[in-house]
C-alpha cells in the first residue's frame, strides 16, 4: 500500500495557525486562509487533508465546522481532529463533511467511554495516541495513562486505525519520534499515521521505512515554511 503524506491545516478563529508552547500563532502563508492552503495542497497531489480545530482542542467548542465543510468540498477526504472527546463532537464533524474523525486521547482514560464511541462510529473514528515518552498525555486535558497498557486493551477493540503524535515535537521541526512510531507499529496491524516534528523528505522516508502497519504521516509546519509538497510527493513515488 502506498505511503500517504497528509497535509495538516491547524485552524483557530477561521485562520491558519501554528501550535507553539505558548498557544496558537497566526500564519501568514496562503494569506492565513485554510481553504487557499487546502486547494494548493490538493493541486500538488494530496489525497487526504488533516484539519485540526484548535479552538475545539482548547475550549471544547467546535469553531471550524465551516472550514471542514469547505475543505471537504474540494473533493478529497478530510480527517478532522482537535481534542475530540464526545459523541456530539464526532457527529458534528462527520455531518460537516469529514470522512474520519480522530478521537483525542482524553477518552482513553476510560475504556468504557472509548468502547462506546468506537461502537457508535465504527470505521469513521480513528484513535489519537498523544504520546509523551511512555505515557499518553492528552493535550486538551485529562489524566495521563501508560501508553503500552492503553494500546494493549485498544487492540481488543475494533479500532480502525491510529494517529500517533509525539506531543513534544509538534510544530518544532525537530524530527519524528521514530522509536515511538516503531514501537506502536510493532504492536498493531491496524493502520498507523505518524505526526509531530516532520521536517521534509528525509524524515518522511525514515517514517515510511518503518513499514508494517505504518501507512502515512501528517506534514504541518514545514509546508508553511517553504517545503514543496509536489516535489516531496514526486520524490516519494520515485527511487530513493
Amino acid at each position: 500500500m502506498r505511503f500517504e503524506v497528509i497535509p495538516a491545516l491547524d485552524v483557530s478563529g477561521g485562520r491558519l495557525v501554528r501550535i507553539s508552547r505558548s498557544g496558537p500563532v497566526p500564519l501568514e502563508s496562503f494569506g492565513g486562509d485554510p481553504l487557499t492552503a487546502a486547494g494548493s495542497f490538493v493541486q500538488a497531489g494530496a489525497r487526504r487533508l488533516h484539519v485540526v480545530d484548535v479552538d475545539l482542542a482548547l475550549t471544547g467548542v467546535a469553531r471550524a465546522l465551516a472550514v471542514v465543510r469547505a475543505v471537504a468540498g474540494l473533493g478529497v477526504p478530510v480527517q478532522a481532529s482537535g481534542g475530540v472527546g464526545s459523541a456530539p463532537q464526532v457527529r458534528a464533524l462527520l455531518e460537516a463533511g469529514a470522512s474520519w474523525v480522530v478521537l483525542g486521547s482524553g477518552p482513553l482514560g476510560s475504556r468504557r467511554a472509548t468502547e462506546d464511541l468506537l461502537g457508535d462510529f465504527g470505521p469513521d473514528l480513528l484513535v489519537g495516541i498523544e504520546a509523551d515518552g511512555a505515557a499518553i498525555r492528552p493535550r486538551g486535558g485529562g489524566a495521563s495513562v501508560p501508553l503500552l497498557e492503553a494500546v494493549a486493551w485498544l487492540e481488543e477493540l475494533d479500532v480502525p486505525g491510529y494517529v500517533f503524535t509525539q506531543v513534544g515535537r509538534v510544530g518544532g521541526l525537530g524530527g519524528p519520534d521514530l522509536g515511538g512510531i516503531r514501537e506502536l507499529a510493532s504492536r498493531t496491524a491496524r493502520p498507523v499515521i505518524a505526526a509531530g516534528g516532520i521536517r521534509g523528505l528525509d524524515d518522511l522516508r525514515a517514517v515510511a521505512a518503518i513499514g508494517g502497519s505504518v501507512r502515512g504521516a501528517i506534514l504541518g509546519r514545514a509546508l508553511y515554511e517553504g517545503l514543496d509538497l509536489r516535489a516531496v510527493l514526486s520524490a516519494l513515488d520515485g527511487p530513493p
Side-chain angles (χ1 to χ4, degrees):
M1 181 178 291
R2 181 180 175 188
F3 183 82
E4 191 170 5
V5 177
I6 307 169
L9 302 105
D10 289 5
V11 180
S12 177
R15 284 185 51 89
L16 290 169
V17 298
R18 173 176 64 81
I19 303 302
S20 73
R21 295 194 177 189
S22 59
V25 177
L27 290 177
E28 297 306 319
S29 302
F30 303 102
D33 180 29
L35 190 58
T36 300
S40 176
F41 297 150
V42 171
Q43 288 182 354
R47 295 180 291 119
R48 184 192 315 198
L49 297 172
H50 182 78
V51 178
V52 182
D53 186 336
V54 176
D55 296 320
L56 174 59
L58 294 178
T59 70
V61 178
R63 295 199 173 100
L65 296 176
V67 173
V68 171
R69 188 173 294 111
V71 172
L74 296 175
V76 298
V78 171
Q79 181 176 287
S81 72
V84 178
S86 70
Q89 291 171 349
V90 176
R91 192 170 294 110
L93 289 165
L94 291 173
E95 290 176 352
S99 297
W100 305 277
V101 173
V102 180
L103 182 66
S105 290
L108 299 186
S110 166
R111 174 170 176 157
R112 178 61 183 273
T114 304
E115 192 168 350
D116 286 347
L117 286 166
L118 288 167
D120 288 343
F121 297 101
D124 297 331
L125 197 65
L126 304 175
V127 172
I129 302 291
E130 296 172 296
D132 182 6
I136 295 175
R137 201 175 305 280
R139 285 176 288 175
S144 63
V145 297
L147 192 155
L148 296 183
E149 288 182 20
V151 171
W153 61 256
L154 283 166
E155 283 295 288
E156 298 174 3
L157 307 179
D158 292 327
V159 176
Y162 298 99
V163 176
F164 176 88
T165 304
Q166 175 53 254
V167 296
R169 299 178 187 238
V170 171
L173 295 180
D177 177 13
L178 296 175
I181 300 165
R182 188 176 293 109
E183 180 70 31
L184 176 58
S186 73
R187 294 172 181 270
T188 183
R190 283 82 179 274
V192 173
I193 297 170
I198 296 174
R199 298 163 291 193
L201 181 59
D202 288 345
D203 285 342
L204 289 167
R205 281 181 168 154
V207 173
I210 293 172
S213 59
V214 178
R215 304 293 172 78
I218 295 169
L219 193 55
R221 181 178 173 182
L223 287 174
Y224 300 96
E225 297 190 2
L227 184 66
D228 186 330
L229 179 62
R230 189 184 302 275
V232 165
L233 294 175
S234 177
L236 284 174
D237 285 340

